[in-house]
Amino acid sequence: MKQTNSIYTGMQTTIFEVMSRLARENGSINLGQGFPDVDGPLDIRQKAADELLNGYNQYPPMLGLPVLREAVADANKRFYGLEVDPATEVLVTSGATEALCDCLTALIEDGDEVVLIEPLYDCYLPLARRAGATVKSVRIVPPKWELDKEALEAAFSDKTKLIVLNDPHNPAGKVYSDEELGWIAELLEKYDAYAICDEVYEHLTFDGRPHKPLMAFPGMRERCLRIGSAGKTFSLTGWKIGYITGGKELLDPVAKAHQFATFTTPPNLQEAIALGLNKGDDYYHSLAADLQAKRDRLAKGLSETGLEVIECQGTYFLTVDITSLCEKKGLPIDDAAFCQTITFEAGVTAVPVSAFYIQDEDHLPAPKNFVRFCFCKQDSVLDEALEKLKSWAL
Ligand code: PMP
Ligand code: GLN
């Protein structure tokens, strides 16, 4: 039999699916894969149901329903001061994952270099490689997850086509500083390159820290493709509605990739997300405030358990250093083994951060002392998980 594609053949299933399956099989509390355990606003779900029963259920326009494209353009203006033409500068996709795939497929030519920042969300690497890119990686380093300017510069060259920037960052919980974004902007201009900005956690930043899209920086309007996800903004991760904002010229080939990937996205969900995006500022404030309280609840409990909690500025995730707890319990400092052990012995599941690193002989080994816990869960669930972890650890 002929060989199937070498990137996907023999590839492991994503860590999120693997850990969720393990949690289900062991009846463990799942703080691994990032999804809320309470669904998003009822009026959004009601709108989707009404549209499903009484609305239009055939192919919507390829770029997305005008009502949603307008809502995305309005949100760009309202939150970031970006003027966006809804007719030509917004594309609706089936989730941010499809958006990433469309952008990478549409921009990359064989042999282009793509800069990725480790730790990285797992689909970036295979999608970039499958599109023909050579990947150059640079690391943000814990516990502060700062970007090293020289290392960043060293990853760029005349062959660089684009950088993928995830801000706020999964799994680090980092929000990039203005200074770091400024360095990236300078390099994009110097090397005439683009940025695919994965901003799915744009509304989930804490302690009053604003989210600033790279696209809003001087000179960046035409170099960035900015990706959002209704899954995160409205606690509806199963809906898989994403949206890309980009200059007309840059977005056009991306739309062509989209037309042969999914072509369209369910119209009832688009109508409902348009309603969601138009919600008042109070919705967005309470979304972030609720999550911030959950972050604090989980952080306090995890540190009482003997885990060193790393600062989290945004997203759904807290990262902890497991070193001292492993030493105390005589366990190897191995994040993957730790996640299995706490699933089996404590009844709580998390995700090993080493899964967010490029694992091949050309790259430095991944750190093995960090584990990611998801906090977008009901308080009672967080409390129960913490009780279980404490009685295992202490
Ligand atoms: N990017 C990042 C950083 C993510 O954490 C996720 C996971 N939800 C996605 C993209 C994918 O988003 P979606 O579910 O909308 O495809
Ligand atoms: N983004 C989610 C996470 O980081 C997972 C999404 C998925 O399972 N594909 O946990």
Side-chain angles (χ1 to χ4, degrees):
M1 300 281 267
K2 282 191 176 147
Q3 180 74 49
T4 50
N5 178 265
S6 58
I7 291 176
Y8 289 121
T9 305
M11 178 182 272
Q12 289 179 349
T13 302
T14 83
I15 193 67
F16 312 116
E17 177 79 16
V18 168
M19 295 316 291
S20 283
R21 199 179 303 156
L22 203 66
R24 270 196 304 276
E25 286 166 4
N26 290 277
S28 166
I29 299 179
N30 188 1
L31 304 186
Q33 191 177 31
F35 61 92
D37 61 355
V38 174
D39 288 340
L42 185 60
D43 57 348
I44 300 182
R45 289 183 282 137
Q46 186 65 54
K47 176 76 173 165
D50 292 346
E51 291 292 331
L52 185 82
L53 292 175
N54 305 313
Y56 184 75
N57 285 293
Q58 307 309 324
Y59 296 129
M62 188 269 277
L63 293 176
L65 286 182
V67 66
L68 178 53
R69 282 185 279 144
E70 273 156 31
V72 172
D74 290 348
N76 273 295
K77 172 84 180 146
R78 163 155 67 133
F79 295 111
Y80 313 119
L82 286 164
E83 296 284 351
V84 171
D85 176 5
T88 58
E89 296 187 315
V90 176
L91 172 67
V92 177
T93 60
S94 293
T97 311
E98 192 220 312
L100 285 157
C101 185
D102 296 342
C103 291
L104 290 162
T105 313
L107 266 59
I108 294 170
E109 295 264 41
D110 276 349
D112 282 346
E113 289 181 3
V114 162
V115 178
L116 299 181
I117 300 176
E118 290 180 284
L120 44 75
Y121 185 59
D122 65 349
C123 70
Y124 299 166
L125 182 70
L127 289 177
R129 285 194 172 149
R130 189 70 188 90
T134 301
V135 168
K136 300 282 162 182
S137 66
V138 51
R139 288 186 173 187
I140 47 173
V141 183
K144 294 199 151 180
W145 301 112
E146 283 162 339
L147 190 57
D148 180 83
K149 189 177 186 211
E150 278 172 28
L152 178 71
E153 280 168 359
F156 275 77
S157 81
D158 290 333
K159 290 193 187 156
T160 305
K161 175 62 71 70
L162 61 94
I163 186 170
V164 182
L165 178 69
N166 177 208
D167 183 23
H169 188 282
N170 173 14
K174 170 193 173 70
V175 173
Y176 281 84
S177 68
D178 286 4
E179 190 183 30
E180 290 170 323
L181 295 173
W183 298 337
I184 295 172
E186 264 174 44
L187 288 164
L188 295 185
E189 292 207 304
K190 178 169 174 192
Y191 291 103
D192 185 22
Y194 302 103
I196 298 177
C197 302
D198 177 345
E199 299 179 14
V200 299
Y201 300 103
E202 62 188 317
H203 294 294
L204 313 185
T205 61
F206 310 132
D207 309 309
R209 194 173 264 101
H211 169 65
K212 296 192 185 171
L214 181 65
M215 194 177 196
F217 277 58
M220 291 297 105
R221 176 68 172 77
E222 305 304 318
R223 292 194 181 277
C224 293
L225 290 162
R226 201 179 89 70
I227 298 173
S229 169
K232 308 298 178 308
T233 300
F234 301 107
S235 306
L236 293 164
T237 59
W239 281 23
K240 301 294 283 188
I241 304 285
Y243 19 85
I244 312 175
T245 305
K248 180 172 184 273
E249 304 290 318
L250 194 56
L251 195 63
D252 187 65
V254 177
K256 302 297 151 53
H258 160 76
Q259 76 180 346
F260 296 131
T262 57
F263 181 54
T264 56
T265 298
N268 64 319
L269 302 183
Q270 294 194 50
E271 290 276 2
I273 294 303
L275 182 145
L277 279 171
N278 289 326
K279 277 181 177 293
D281 291 349
D282 51 336
Y283 169 76
Y284 293 89
H285 289 150
S286 62
L287 175 71
D290 287 354
L291 277 170
Q292 179 175 321
K294 291 182 184 301
R295 173 201 66 174
D296 294 343
R297 192 178 199 99
L298 186 64
K300 180 166 174 287
L302 290 176
S303 48
E304 287 164 3
T305 309
L307 293 159
E308 281 167 52
V309 178
I310 293 179
E311 187 192 355
C312 163
Q313 304 171 334
T315 75
Y316 281 159
F317 309 112
L318 267 181
T319 296
V320 299
D321 188 336
I322 59 173
T323 308
S324 32
L325 183 57
C326 287
E327 280 168 355
K328 186 181 144 211
K329 293 206 51 103
L331 294 171
I333 297 169
D334 179 329
D335 59 348
F338 182 89
C339 289
Q340 299 230 348
T341 303
I342 60 169
T343 299
F344 300 140
E345 296 183 6
V348 178
T349 298
V351 163
V353 171
S354 60
F356 295 79
Y357 285 80
I358 302 175
Q359 316 244 5
D360 62 27
E361 56 287 356
D362 299 335
H363 290 82
L364 289 173
K368 291 202 166 269
N369 55 325
F370 297 104
V371 162
R372 191 196 81 175
F373 288 88
C374 175
F375 52 77
C376 54
K377 307 290 174 187
Q378 293 169 79
D379 289 349
S380 58
V381 173
L382 295 176
D383 291 347
E384 196 189 339
L386 287 167
E387 245 171 62
K388 283 170 178 271
L389 276 173
K390 280 182 196 166
S391 52
W392 171 77
L394 301 175

